[in-house]
Amino acid sequence: MLSLKKNKGKTALLFVIMLVVANLVISGLSIQSASEKSMKQIRESLGSDVTLSVNMMNIMQNRQKGEAMNQVMSPITEEMADQLKDLNYVASYNYSISGSVNSEGLTAIETQTNTQVPNGMKEEFKDGATQTTLGDFSVSGNTTMQNLESFVDGSYELTEGKLLSEADEGSSYVVMSKTLADENDLSIGSKITVSSVDGSTTTELEVVGIFTINSSNSMGNMMFNQQNPMNMLYVSLGTAKAITNSEHLTSAVYYLDDPEHKEAFKQEAEAKTTIDWETYSLDANDQMYERNISTLENMESFAMIFVVVVVIAGGSILCLILILTIKNRTYEIGVLVSLGETKLNIIIQQFIEIAVIGIVAFTLSLGSGKLIANVISGMLESGASNSNVTMQMPQMGMESQNGSSQMPNERGGQKGNAFENAFTAPQNSELDVSLTAPDVLKLAGLTTLICTAATLLPALYILRLSPREILVRKEG
């Protein structure tokens, strides 16, 4: 402590350098931590679903000139989809069948007036097995409704009753919109009768669930009543097969145990199934993740390089300063060694001196590091907005809940200068670069490493000499 007090200039210089180095290390660790959390949140926001679908690109390339698309498409069969449901990584799955039905006792929500639905509109696949015609109501049969995107993302919200699950397979239950239920004075327990468009099948259904539509994104470009989501009827998969006269699936979606297993699932599917992957494909819906991940990986790599450079540069500067200043203490060291003091104790004393400065700088940097973290958060959000890198799933509409238009750069970022942002915590949790316990431990470890290196190198430069050589080297 006497040495630190006597050499005030050197102590102040070392303190400033240590404080700057500690804050720069915090900056690098914050960027790295923010990148890791952003990648994880993007991956989780995209979900873990993989969809079995027809490979339209291959079909377009292989079709004959003048041949219609629906003539060369092959439907997805349940036997085909079952080959994937028991593979590794599959936590759950959902098969869907979509179609349309009519009902004499149920009044549809009119979409457009004076719109005539063409009779006999149908779509046939090349095997002639599937036929879809237009009715007043859309019907969606599912293995389970628990993972349907509209209910998961909040676009649809169950207000009464329940959603259908695997336990309801084969039941005559139906879930409908509140608007349709109110239009027909229906409630939980009410019965309705629907029929296939060709009139060959009639089924009585019991209302067990009613939902409200919270988003207007799906309300546009509707020509027919069946395209109106308010006229959608959700039933079990078996019921949908019966009332649409179809055994073929509209889609098969597999929900994996972890989003990171998508590629492994695809590889296992190609290796262990007999599905023609020239005709069908597995769509992981990870294009946005792939677009964003490269930017975030580059940011994380930059942060790592930045931390390494700061540690090496900071340690080197401290070593040079200590080497230049230790010459003023060669006589002191020579006398101590001559009096029998061990070289280890002398090194420990040098380390304690630099450690005291480092501890003070480390403690203060924890406070100033929070300010730097907030500034970095604002810079990252601004950069992400300007480069169109979105840290969340894009919304189909640009309207906020109050109906006002919202520009992309208003997505939670705060405008203002860096000084104002430094004292304001970031509003966007997806770019949270605040210090965490692991970051503090890393900073403490790197600070200790710098102090140790800055002490050993100059000390060894002098202590490798004998006491006589040290005293001879004393200057003036």
Side-chain angles (χ1 to χ4, degrees):
M1 297 304 298
L2 291 174
S3 176
L4 293 176
K5 183 177 180 180
K6 178 181 179 181
N7 301 289
K8 296 180 180 179
K10 185 196 75 172
T11 301
L13 180 61
L14 291 176
F15 171 75
V16 171
I17 294 175
M18 290 291 291
L19 184 62
V20 171
V21 169
N23 280 280
L24 291 177
V25 170
I26 288 177
S27 301
L29 294 176
S30 298
I31 296 174
Q32 187 179 28
S33 176
S35 301
E36 292 175 352
K37 287 186 286 187
S38 295
M39 286 189 288
K40 179 180 179 181
Q41 289 171 353
I42 290 176
R43 187 170 61 247
E44 291 176 350
S45 68
L46 291 174
S48 59
D49 57 294
V50 179
T51 303
L52 176 65
S53 58
V54 178
N55 192 327
M56 298 300 298
M57 294 298 296
N58 284 349
I59 289 179
M60 291 175 62
Q61 294 173 359
N62 296 330
R63 74 183 182 91
Q64 299 297 322
K65 184 177 181 180
E67 194 172 19
M69 290 295 297
N70 58 0
Q71 294 177 330
V72 296
M73 288 180 61
S74 298
I76 300 173
T77 65
E78 191 166 352
E79 292 75 14
M80 181 191 307
D82 283 343
Q83 297 182 52
L84 300 170
K85 70 178 184 179
D86 294 324
L87 295 180
N88 291 328
Y89 316 118
V90 178
S92 62
Y93 65 93
N94 181 45
Y95 298 161
S96 297
I97 293 180
S98 299
S100 62
V101 295
N102 287 318
S103 176
E104 294 183 359
L106 196 62
T107 302
I109 305 299
E110 292 294 334
T111 300
Q112 293 184 9
T113 59
N114 301 324
T115 300
Q116 294 183 352
V117 179
N119 293 325
M121 177 175 283
K122 62 182 180 178
E123 180 180 3
E124 294 185 358
F125 293 103
K126 66 181 182 180
D127 61 359
T130 300
Q131 175 176 291
T132 303
T133 54
L134 292 179
D136 284 334
F137 303 92
S138 292
V139 62
S140 175
N142 298 275
T143 306
T144 175
M145 295 178 62
Q146 305 299 324
N147 295 320
L148 292 182
E149 183 177 354
S150 296
F151 290 94
V152 173
D153 64 16
S155 298
Y156 296 175
E157 180 182 357
L158 182 71
T159 55
E160 296 181 57
K162 67 173 185 177
L163 298 179
L164 301 183
S165 63
E166 295 183 28
D168 298 311
E169 175 55 37
S171 67
S172 58
Y173 295 153
V174 62
V175 178
M176 64 173 59
S177 70
K178 180 174 176 56
T179 305
L180 182 61
D182 291 344
E183 182 79 7
N184 292 272
D185 297 324
L186 300 175
S187 59
I188 300 298
S190 298
K191 302 292 182 64
I192 63 173
T193 301
V194 297
S195 60
S196 58
V197 179
D198 61 8
S200 62
T201 304
T202 300
T203 304
E204 185 180 64
L205 302 175
E206 178 185 350
V207 179
V208 296
I210 296 176
F211 64 90
T212 57
I213 300 177
N214 298 325
S215 173
S216 61
N217 295 335
S218 59
M219 302 297 290
N221 300 323
M222 296 182 299
M223 296 181 60
F224 309 115
N225 289 342
Q226 74 155 186
Q227 294 176 309
N228 190 333
M230 297 179 185
N231 292 327
M232 173 69 77
L233 303 175
Y234 290 95
V235 297
S236 67
L237 191 69
T239 302
K241 291 179 183 179
I243 60 180
T244 61
N245 295 323
S246 175
E247 292 291 331
H248 296 90
L249 302 179
T250 303
S251 68
V253 182
Y254 305 90
Y255 303 94
L256 307 186
D257 53 4
D258 192 302
E260 291 186 338
H261 293 155
K262 288 180 179 179
E263 196 59 37
F265 173 72
K266 288 182 181 180
Q267 294 176 358
E268 185 171 352
E270 293 176 357
K272 295 185 177 181
T273 65
T274 60
I275 299 174
D276 180 10
W277 296 111
E278 293 295 323
T279 304
Y280 304 95
S281 63
L282 288 172
D283 180 17
N285 191 29
D286 56 359
Q287 293 87 352
M288 176 159 296
Y289 177 74
E290 294 299 329
R291 286 199 302 268
N292 290 337
I293 200 66
S294 59
T295 301
L296 293 171
E297 285 178 342
N298 291 337
M299 191 181 299
E300 185 180 15
S301 176
F302 162 77
M304 177 59 68
I305 295 174
F306 181 77
V307 171
V308 172
V309 170
V310 168
V311 171
I312 294 176
S316 300
I317 293 173
L318 288 175
C319 286
L320 290 175
I321 293 175
L322 291 177
I323 288 175
L324 293 175
T325 58
I326 202 170
K327 290 182 179 180
N328 296 327
R329 304 182 64 178
T330 53
Y331 183 76
E332 171 192 346
I333 294 174
V335 171
L336 290 173
V337 174
S338 300
L339 293 175
E341 194 68 65
T342 64
K343 294 182 178 181
L344 178 61
N345 285 343
I346 295 176
I347 292 177
I348 291 176
Q349 178 182 329
Q350 300 292 322
F351 175 79
I352 291 177
E353 290 181 14
I354 191 68
V356 169
I357 300 174
I359 290 173
V360 176
F362 168 80
T363 304
L364 293 179
S365 69
L366 295 180
S368 59
K370 177 62 177 177
L371 306 183
I372 294 176
N374 291 340
V375 173
I376 292 176
S377 175
M379 294 172 61
L380 288 176
E381 289 185 14
S382 176
S385 176
N386 293 336
S387 60
N388 292 325
V389 177
T390 306
M391 299 305 172
Q392 59 184 6
M393 288 296 289
Q395 302 297 321
M396 296 297 293
M398 292 298 294
E399 293 185 354
S400 62
Q401 291 183 352
N402 60 9
S404 61
S405 177
Q406 186 177 18
M407 298 300 292
N409 59 1
E410 295 174 355
R411 190 179 53 85
Q414 289 189 343
K415 295 182 179 180
N417 56 43
F419 181 78
E420 293 174 346
N421 290 338
F423 293 92
T424 305
Q427 299 298 317
N428 188 352
S429 61
E430 294 174 357
L431 285 174
D432 182 11
V433 294
S434 56
L435 285 176
T436 62
D439 292 334
V440 174
L441 292 177
K442 289 179 183 178
L443 176 62
L446 291 174
T447 302
T448 303
L449 177 63
I450 292 174
C451 292
T452 302
T455 301
L456 287 178
L457 295 179
L460 292 176
Y461 172 76
I462 297 296
L463 294 178
R464 63 186 177 87
L465 304 174
S466 64
R468 181 177 180 279
E469 291 175 322
I470 294 175
L471 295 175
V472 169
R473 284 175 176 245
K474 174 182 176 297
E475 297 182 1

